[in-house]
Amino acid sequence: MQKIVLACLSFMFLTGLILSQGIGSGSVNPDLLTREWHAKWIAVPDEPAEQYGVYLFRKKIDLEAAPEKFVVHVSADNRYKLYVNGRLASAGPARGDLFYWNYETVDLASFLCAGENIIAAVVWNEGTYRPEAQISWRTGFILQGNSPAEESLDTGPAWKCIRDDGYRPLEASGLYGYYVAGPGERIDMKKHIRGWREAGFNDASWKNAALAHWRGGSPKGIRDASGWMLVPSSIPQMERTVERLESVREATGIEPPGAFPASAVLVGIPARTKAALLLDNGHLTNAYVTLQFSRGRDAVVSMKYAEALYEPAAEGKTGVAGKGNRNEVIGKIFLGREDRLISDGTERQEFNSLYWRTYRYILLTVETGDEPLVIEDLYGTFTGYPFRMNAAFHSDDATLDMVLEIGWRTARLCAIETYMDCPYYEQLQYIGDARIQALVSLYNSGDERLVRNALDQMDHSRIAEGLTLSRHPSVSPQIIPSFSLWYIGMLHDYWMYGHDSGFVREKLPGTRAILDFFRRYRQPDGRLRNVPYWNFTDWVTNPGWLVGTAPLGADGGSSVLDLQLLLAYRTAAELESSLGMEAYAQIYTDIAGRLAQTIRDRYWDGNKGLFADTAEKRAFSQHANSLAILAGMVPPGNPSKRLAEKLLADRSLAPASIYFKYYLHRALIRAGLGDRYLTWLDKWHENIAMGMTTWAEDYDVNTARSDCHAWGASPNIELYRTVLGIDSGAPGFAEARIEPHPGTLKKAAGRIPHPQGDIVVDYELKDGKWSVRIDLPGTLTGSLIWKDRTYPLKAGRNVLTGVGPI
């Protein structure tokens, strides 16, 4: 045994979570894509298939020498963590559905050594407590070697297994608003199994695995596939990076050392003491939580997680008043998801959360019995899709740096295996949110994989009527027809900014099915009537707006929905004309023409100079009029710029939330007001003034349920696309279109990633004249639009000096 340990001394252990992102992935053996696997889905014998449980699996293999390559494919239901010689090698599977159940491909070579090796996995099923985003069939685990060299690890009865009876679910309670992100963990350390991942652990009492399904793993597409239809994950492993909490904000019962929790120092809690420490991470994060502690038999340790604390309700009232400034904690109430542990009194006990937690604040509470307890360390391991910031923005307005920093953090926290609306409350991938998130990804990182994954999953979600679901993956099917229209827009975005037109072409049957759904509710004049399901537009509290749905007229019609449909027909016509069938393009163009005329006839109010929300012309919104500008619907004699000015000046209009401001701002820019963009960021500056480190969900920052919604991260698009003016001038970003709107800035510079390299711009105003430098990578060419004049741009460096004001 000592020889084995010495042979593996180079391995770095850290509470089960690896710090390195150096896990390689080999290509999948083609046979594994078309034939039933040798590996079987396994489970612990005599355990319920669909109820809550945490299960441990182990396999020993002996190797004559450390291999140069050792590729395996691994998956589970609900989730797994795979360890090799005590080190975390993979976590997953990436969320999907039963028709597209992901497996990860992992090269274990760097984890293996000559001699005995221990491959171990923890698999958990949260049963009816599981997150809404977690689709499931039954508990199961599968691992398949990529070739005969790895087949000794194929799962089957030779694997040893046991249920860890120390775990119980701890249902979230006391939270305000819709919460569907799963339970906490309640662990009795006296029953919890320790040391099972490592060599030397005695698993003689463990059972041999039972088959969870009589067949081997079933790749999607084989005959009579059942259960999980396996597909290789199209995204990389998530990032995992240690992130220490910053400070103790409040303490009762003990006085912690000043270095805690920023450093690993001992914190003692005497016997028969109740201590509480309010810990501040300094900013919101998603992280696996690790707590190391000793002694304190029967002590109860609780960790609650919150985005922010709540202000108490006014005297005489119940509940809470709101969150107020997120930096302030004195006199506030802590409400949050919880993990709870019962100490067994031994040395070096350790808690590693099975799944990640979202928090800025952690309330650590320890209540000891007759024995003191010592906290040895508490920290997080940040996790998220491994985006890298590859864009840059510089200007003479330093406040914009914070806007971009917070926006990028928001986008990153809302991206783990899928895009998510919010990490704390829902973790659901909604199309309305994902469209904006995808553009943030493309402009800031250039990584397209999560964008394509989202488009794939939404396409997979389509129901028999043709619509996509509003969100996917999701246990409960939710249908928002208007989001299916945004899906067409998102696909068009990818066509323009992404680099895989073949991928877009494959999605055209889906866009046709969506538009065919709306055909059933289209009247002879083209307008829609009585469209079923939830036609969400935006969270607006004005009269007539019901649960985010724009007002409906007595005839069951809505200009907002008609205008969204018009935009969808026009974008679909472009896609069909370039990638699909010209006949569809012509049909969509003809329908769009009739619908446009109907919208002008039914909804335009000449007296107000606005489009109404309904034919009765009693309700008006920024939403309808923004969409009208984007659809080119402004009547003759009333330029879009005049309508845009009304959108900014008329306070009676139903206002766009931080989410729909994306479309409002696009409309204002389209109308020629782009130079004012920096004056429209009041909501984002309000967030900053309220101590936000990510963007709030709602218009009212004080009462927002979620403190992290990436649908509000649109400045991370527009500071590059509008202020710096860097835009795609042709599908696939085959040409660059540069039209800057620096506004009051005197200096503005930056870059965005492009497949051929970075597009770099630099603008500086001196003595009333601009100097302009634009670098286009590789063979990329384009054009510069400056004060209604167009300049051709060649590949490489382009310089203009002495240019007049925009």
Side-chain angles (χ1 to χ4, degrees), residues 12-35:
M12 179 173 65
F13 295 81
L14 185 67
T15 67
L17 292 180
I18 64 169
L19 306 185
S20 167
Q21 293 302 306
I23 302 175
S25 63
S27 59
V28 180
N29 183 335
D31 286 346
L32 299 178
L33 300 174
T34 58
R35 300 178 184 176

Side-chain angles (χ1 to χ4, degrees), residues 488-675:
I488 298 174
M490 181 178 174
L491 189 65
H492 187 275
D493 292 343
Y494 181 72
W495 179 54
M496 290 297 296
Y497 296 94
H499 305 91
D500 190 346
S501 60
F503 175 87
V504 178
R505 182 182 292 108
E506 291 175 357
K507 298 290 181 284
L508 293 183
T511 66
R512 295 165 192 161
I514 291 168
L515 292 173
D516 189 60
F517 166 85
F518 285 95
R519 175 190 56 79
R520 302 168 206 176
Y521 304 96
R522 208 176 62 231
Q523 303 307 298
D525 59 3
R527 64 188 173 86
L528 293 168
R529 180 183 179 192
N530 297 330
V531 177
Y533 304 114
W534 181 23
N535 286 290
F536 175 85
T537 296
D538 191 17
W539 289 120
V540 177
T541 58
N542 286 47
W545 286 75
L546 182 63
V547 198
T549 302
L552 291 174
D555 60 356
S558 160
S559 70
V560 174
L561 194 54
D562 284 341
L563 284 159
Q564 257 196 270
L565 181 64
L566 176 60
L567 285 167
Y569 274 127
R570 287 180 170 164
T571 53
E574 283 189 56
L575 293 174
E576 292 286 358
S577 182
S578 294
L579 301 174
M581 297 177 63
E582 190 59 43
Y584 275 113
Q586 190 59 55
I587 291 169
Y588 296 159
T589 299
D590 292 345
I591 294 171
R594 291 196 301 273
L595 178 56
Q597 187 58 51
T598 298
I599 290 171
R600 291 190 186 96
D601 293 343
R602 292 186 66 83
Y603 300 117
W604 176 252
D605 187 322
N607 293 326
K608 288 184 174 289
L610 292 165
F611 285 90
D613 291 342
T614 66
E616 289 82 0
K617 300 179 182 177
R618 290 194 290 266
F620 299 83
S621 65
Q622 289 186 328
H623 307 75
N625 288 280
S626 296
L627 296 176
I629 292 173
L630 291 173
M633 288 296 301
V634 180
N638 188 23
S640 58
K641 196 168 188 178
R642 192 183 313 164
L643 178 56
E645 296 283 7
K646 285 180 178 287
L647 290 183
L648 293 171
D650 192 337
R651 299 300 178 186
S652 70
L653 300 178
S657 75
I658 194 170
Y659 154 59
F660 210 88
K661 282 183 183 292
Y662 170 76
Y663 297 101
L664 170 63
H665 293 168
R666 293 306 301 157
L668 298 175
I669 295 160
R670 178 76 60 85
L673 303 185
D675 248 6

Side-chain angles (χ1 to χ4, degrees), residues 40-55 57 75-80 93 97-98 101 123-128 130 134-142 161 163 208-215 226-230 475:
K40 307 291 187 183
W41 283 93
I42 59 173
V44 177
D46 306 317
E47 292 291 342
E50 300 173 7
Q51 297 177 19
Y52 180 95
V54 178
Y55 306 98
F57 297 85
S75 191
D77 186 345
N78 298 169
R79 299 192 63 82
Y80 74 87
D97 58 47
L98 293 177
W101 194 269
V123 174
W124 65 98
N125 186 337
E126 292 181 313
T128 57
R130 69 183 186 271
Q134 182 63 60
I135 291 171
S136 174
W137 186 40
R138 59 147 297 158
T139 304
F141 172 61
I142 192 167
C161 60
R163 177 177 183 145
N208 288 92
L211 299 186
H213 187 47
W214 65 272
R215 294 188 63 168
S226 60
W228 307 272
M229 299 187 187
L230 291 165
V475 176

Side-chain angles (χ1 to χ4, degrees), residues 723-746:
V723 176
L724 295 184
I726 307 172
D727 205 352
S728 171
F733 223 134
E735 297 177 10
R737 185 180 190 277
I738 313 295
E739 185 176 7
H741 299 88
T744 57
L745 298 177
K746 294 180 173 58

Side-chain angles (χ1 to χ4, degrees), residues 675 723 739-743 763 765 768 770 785-788 803-806:
D675 248 6
V723 176
E739 185 176 7
H741 299 88
Y763 315 112
L765 180 64
W770 286 92
I785 295 88
W786 191 282
K787 198 178 182 181
D788 299 325
V803 183
I806 293 178

Side-chain angles (χ1 to χ4, degrees), residues 693-713:
T693 61
T694 48
W695 303 130
E697 174 183 15
D698 295 342
Y699 199 85
D700 189 336
V701 182
N702 180 51
T703 60
R705 175 195 59 150
S706 164
D707 274 9
C708 186
H709 251 65
W711 67 4

Side-chain angles (χ1 to χ4, degrees), residues 272-396:
R272 294 175 293 281
T273 298
K274 184 173 183 179
L277 303 177
L278 178 61
L279 310 177
D280 188 352
N281 194 60
H283 59 265
L284 197 68
T285 193
N286 296 328
Y288 293 93
V289 176
T290 297
L291 175 67
Q292 297 169 341
F293 59 101
S294 292
R295 304 178 66 194
R297 183 174 177 83
D298 295 324
V300 178
V301 181
S302 166
M303 287 178 289
K304 293 183 177 180
Y305 312 95
E307 295 180 310
L309 278 63
Y310 289 85
E311 296 175 331
E315 188 175 352
K317 294 186 177 181
T318 59
V320 295
K323 297 180 180 178
N325 190 299
R326 297 338 191 243
N327 295 323
E328 298 170 358
V329 300
I330 297 175
K332 287 188 171 183
I333 300 169
F334 195 108
L335 300 172
R337 179 181 184 176
E338 180 184 8
D339 292 320
R340 191 183 304 161
L341 318 171
I342 300 174
S343 173
D344 66 7
T346 63
E347 301 293 323
R348 298 189 63 78
Q349 299 172 72
E350 185 169 273
F351 165 75
N352 296 300
S353 62
L354 291 173
Y355 205 43
W356 48 270
R357 305 292 185 246
T358 300
Y359 59 87
R360 173 176 172 177
Y361 295 100
I362 297 180
L363 180 60
L364 172 64
T365 304
V366 181
E367 189 166 358
T368 56
D370 294 334
E371 183 177 305
L373 181 143
V374 178
I375 295 173
E376 295 159 339
D377 204 359
L378 171 59
Y379 62 89
T381 299
F382 168 81
T383 190
Y385 184 89
F387 282 122
R388 293 290 177 264
M389 171 57 83
N390 293 319
F393 180 94
H394 310 286
S395 75
D396 50 351

